[in-house]
Amino acid sequence: SVSVLAPSVRVSFGAGKDLVVIPDAPRDKIENVLKTKVLPGFCKAFLSEQSDMGPNGEDVNTWLAGVMDGMVATIDEHVASVLKSVSSKDTKVSLEKQSMSKRNSKVINA
């Protein structure tokens, strides 16, 4: 699973009025990017003479570790791109009466 941390920021102006900035959670956009641009590039089917051998003849666990490293890097790149485009367009700003001791963050499990 991949987790995306989308923290909020709270600035206190006193008198019980806080400025709260919370980014939109672009769940649908992230899901679409993962389904269409990331995962198809990592689907593999191969035959090997031994069950512990990867498609290039090396140990399957070594091969899988390399695939996973590539997948994590690709996911990071694409999700960062989605969050960057959303935060520059759709960031919500609202005033709320809440104490500064509360911390808000959204974790999106994709």
Side-chain angles (χ1 to χ4, degrees):
S1 91
V2 175
S3 296
V4 177
L5 175 64
S8 67
V9 175
R10 181 180 318 278
V11 179
S12 178
F13 292 102
K17 292 187 178 181
D18 295 340
L19 173 67
V20 180
V21 181
I22 303 171
D24 285 335
R27 184 181 185 95
D28 292 341
K29 290 180 181 181
I30 291 172
E31 181 179 2
N32 184 50
V33 164
L34 291 173
K35 283 182 179 178
T36 61
K37 295 185 178 180
V38 176
L39 295 177
F42 291 94
C43 293
K44 307 279 185 215
F46 64 91
L47 295 174
S48 66
E49 293 178 19
Q50 299 173 354
S51 63
D52 60 348
M53 187 184 306
N56 55 2
E58 69 181 329
D59 175 70
V60 73
N61 291 321
T62 302
W63 174 77
L64 274 175
V67 170
M68 292 302 295
D69 288 346
M71 190 166 66
V72 167
T74 302
I75 290 169
D76 183 49
E77 176 185 322
H78 282 86
V79 170
S81 176
V82 169
L83 292 175
K84 191 174 191 177
S85 71
V86 169
S87 68
S88 65
K89 296 177 187 174
D90 301 326
T91 302
K92 291 182 179 179
V93 178
S94 64
L95 288 174
E96 291 183 6
K97 293 181 180 179
Q98 294 184 356
S99 104
M100 284 294 289
S101 64
K102 278 193 168 180
R103 295 181 186 178
N104 293 325
S105 65
K106 295 180 182 177
V107 175
I108 307 158
N109 289 317

